[in-house]
Amino acid sequence: MSRPLAPCGDRSEAPEWIDGNVARGYGLTVRHCEVLMGLARGSTDGVIARSLGLAEATVNTHLRGLFRKLGVSSRAAAGAVAYDLGVLRTRAQRVALARAVGLRVAS
């Protein structure tokens, strides 16, 4: 059973590497964010599909939606926009965020 595609800005659903405010502004769903992370890691549609338990065609549909919402036409451009706008946080940002909320983080 799949989970509902809530907006990434919903703090109860957003993965920790997502800036919920920016993702919400673009209207990205949790699934969009998961696919975007795979794209940003350089994964193929097939790898993203297997990691999320989806069909490759479904990943391709999510990518088209991402491209439309981000206003881009390629995987490279989507990844660049994601990093430029802070949709995806860097490791240093994740560590700082974790420490700010009182979590212990291994160096």
Side-chain angles (χ1 to χ4, degrees), residues 28-78:
L28 301 181
T29 65
V30 170
R31 185 64 83 198
H32 281 136
C33 295
E34 291 169 339
V35 171
L36 183 59
M37 186 61 174
L39 179 149
R41 288 180 174 158
S43 299
T44 64
D45 291 0
V47 170
I48 295 169
R50 284 188 296 281
S51 72
L52 297 176
L54 301 173
E56 245 181 276
T58 303
V59 169
N60 192 273
T61 298
H62 287 301
L63 286 171
R64 284 195 311 272
L66 272 170
F67 291 178
R68 182 177 36 80
K69 290 179 179 190
L70 296 176
V72 299
S73 60
S74 71
R75 297 171 76 89

Side-chain angles (χ1 to χ4, degrees), residues 7-11 14 17-29 33 36 69-70 81-89 93:
C8 275
D10 177 351
R11 294 290 181 198
W17 38 263
I18 294 292
D19 182 328
N21 293 326
V22 175
R24 188 181 323 114
Y26 278 93
L28 301 181
T29 65
C33 295
L36 183 59
K69 290 179 179 190
L70 296 176
V81 168
Y83 280 109
D84 287 348
L85 296 177
V87 174
L88 302 175
R89 297 173 190 252
Q93 289 170 322

